[in-house]
Amino acid sequence: ISVKERDVMKSKNNSRIFILICGIICSLIMGFCYTYSIIQPYIMDYFSIESSMASLPYTIFLALFVVGNYIGGVMQKKYPVKIIMLVGYLLMAAGIFATALLPSSAPAGMWFTYGGLLGIGDGMVYNVIIAMMQKWFPDKKGLATGITLAVLGISATILSPLCSSWLTSYGFAGTFKILAGIYIVIAVFGMLTIKAPPEGYMSDYKPSGAVAVSQNACMTAGDCFRRKEYYLLSLIYFCAIPAFVLLSAIFVSYGTSRGLDNALLVTGVSVASLMQVGGRFLISTGSDKIGRKGAMLLCFAITIIAIVLLTFSKGIVYVICFWLLSFTYGGTAATMPSLITDYLGSKNAGLVCSLVMIGFGIASIGTSFLAKAVSTSIAFILAGLIAVVGIIVTLALPKLGSSKQ
């Protein structure tokens, strides 16, 4: 290799490391949505509403997060990612600030401000960050995505005590105004730093080992809908979600009904957030070595083991089951983008990831309805069976040849 070629390679590597660092900084605020359980009591008190009513903005947020993902993916075909980042963050800031201005007589306003504006903006920014990791690191997609999403998970751990402190000191409205200001600062930073790689970047890269990619990249939604892999991937995402969503919603209350000590349950929640971060990094990074299918099969296998143990577990075993489900949920969230672009291509990563995420959205919302429709024990059995289906569907994915996208 010549000195000139070595200098070019060094320059490319430095550029993408800079983008990765900037993506990490932008992700530090993205975990705000995971603090909702801390904020909800203050919402109930401020608006004088019941828990079921107070949880609606978060349910709407989850649904419109998927919509925001799609919008961000479509916009990447026409607009620079800087513009999409700016619009997404400003929508988030506007949603948070508008929430702070709502009168106590208008709790439904949060459906639009928190659920709508924040949900769509969050989805747009999330989509751009994930798509850029896929494009800048075609040779290390699992590692780059895993680091970025692990930081997103860590941000929830950082923001939780901060939000709790602000809520105590400044109240519901004051806390949201502080967060709006932080989002505006990050919006400017993201707009100035995040960018797409140049045309033809690493076009000569050829994967090897357990990782392979499809020769045919999807450029439009129609291309995705004509590929059987799209439906298999969406179903895999759908199958990976219910078990964790079911238990996370009732972990403390269900554990209390089983006679567990409240202190143990609270500690379990704290450790679970770290397990989710660990899953995002370890499973996604490991997928670069064992393959994406292997990583997803591992996630489903651990999920099934945890569900089986849940049927008769008591004490610390019950808490460990939650940790296992948190680990695999994080691993799934970080591995799926790489699995998606392996099969559907990285050239339009934002769009293809957003379309497959429809499976995530349906599972997230559908699971909450499932929990209300049947008993807890039956819901867990169904979640375990869905995970078994996930293994079957993952094995049904066609084998890919090692060729460039």
Side-chain angles (χ1 to χ4, degrees), residues 30-45:
M30 299 295 289
F32 170 61
C33 59
Y34 296 120
T35 66
Y36 198 80
S37 60
I38 294 174
I39 297 169
Q40 184 166 324
Y42 291 85
I43 295 173
M44 294 167 63
D45 181 63

Side-chain angles (χ1 to χ4, degrees), residues 282-299:
L282 294 174
I283 294 180
S284 181
T285 302
S287 74
D288 286 335
K289 299 295 184 181
I290 66 174
R292 321 296 178 206
K293 288 175 65 173
M296 287 306 302
L297 289 172
L298 176 62
C299 285

Side-chain angles (χ1 to χ4, degrees), residues 258 307-314 317:
R258 289 190 168 196
I307 290 293
V308 171
L309 289 175
L310 270 175
T311 60
F312 58 84
S313 64
K314 293 181 180 180
V317 177

Side-chain angles (χ1 to χ4, degrees), residues 5-245:
E5 289 174 327
R6 186 164 57 248
D7 289 343
V8 170
M9 289 175 61
K10 184 177 180 180
S11 176
K12 286 182 176 179
N13 197 50
N14 289 339
S15 295
R16 69 179 189 168
I17 290 175
F18 174 74
I19 295 295
L20 175 61
I21 293 172
C22 293
I24 288 171
I25 294 173
C26 289
S27 296
L28 279 172
I29 195 68
M30 299 295 289
F32 170 61
C33 59
Y34 296 120
T35 66
Y36 198 80
S37 60
I38 294 174
I39 297 169
Q40 184 166 324
Y42 291 85
I43 295 173
M44 294 167 63
D45 181 63
Y46 181 80
F47 292 109
S48 299
I49 55 178
E50 297 297 324
S51 178
S52 58
M53 182 71 172
S55 66
L56 275 176
Y58 186 66
T59 302
I60 295 170
F61 169 90
L62 290 175
L64 294 186
F65 171 79
V66 177
V67 174
N69 258 272
Y70 177 72
I71 293 173
V74 171
M75 288 181 68
Q76 286 179 52
K77 296 185 69 176
K78 298 181 180 180
Y79 303 100
V81 294
K82 296 176 183 292
I83 300 300
I84 306 170
M85 290 283 286
L86 179 63
V87 171
Y89 271 120
L90 290 181
L91 281 174
M92 296 165 80
I96 293 172
F97 189 72
T99 300
L101 299 180
L102 289 173
S104 58
S105 59
M110 280 194 70
W111 301 354
F112 172 73
T113 59
Y114 188 99
L117 295 177
L118 181 62
I120 291 174
D122 196 277
M124 290 174 65
V125 174
Y126 180 92
N127 183 277
V128 170
I129 292 175
I130 296 303
M132 291 307 100
M133 294 307 106
Q134 301 294 298
K135 290 183 177 183
W136 278 101
F137 292 85
D139 55 331
K140 294 181 175 68
K141 291 192 291 187
L143 174 64
T145 306
I147 291 175
T148 307
L149 292 185
V151 170
L152 189 152
I154 291 172
S155 74
T157 305
I158 296 172
L159 285 172
S160 291
L162 285 176
C163 285
S164 181
S165 175
W166 293 336
L167 286 164
T168 301
S169 301
Y170 308 110
F172 171 72
T175 298
F176 272 64
K177 288 177 182 177
I178 293 171
L179 288 164
I182 294 173
Y183 271 89
I184 291 174
V185 172
I186 297 294
V188 174
F189 173 82
M191 182 192 68
L192 294 175
T193 57
I194 301 297
K195 62 180 181 179
E199 188 68 28
Y201 174 78
M202 291 189 71
S203 59
D204 57 344
Y205 167 69
K206 294 183 178 181
S208 59
V211 176
V213 297
S214 171
Q215 292 180 323
N216 303 313
C218 293
M219 298 307 295
T220 66
D223 291 341
C224 287
F225 296 148
R226 285 189 287 270
R227 299 270 293 276
K228 70 175 183 178
E229 291 90 345
Y230 164 74
Y231 299 99
L232 293 174
L233 290 166
S234 298
L235 188 54
I236 289 171
Y237 220 156
F238 175 89
C239 293
I241 301 302
F244 171 78
V245 173

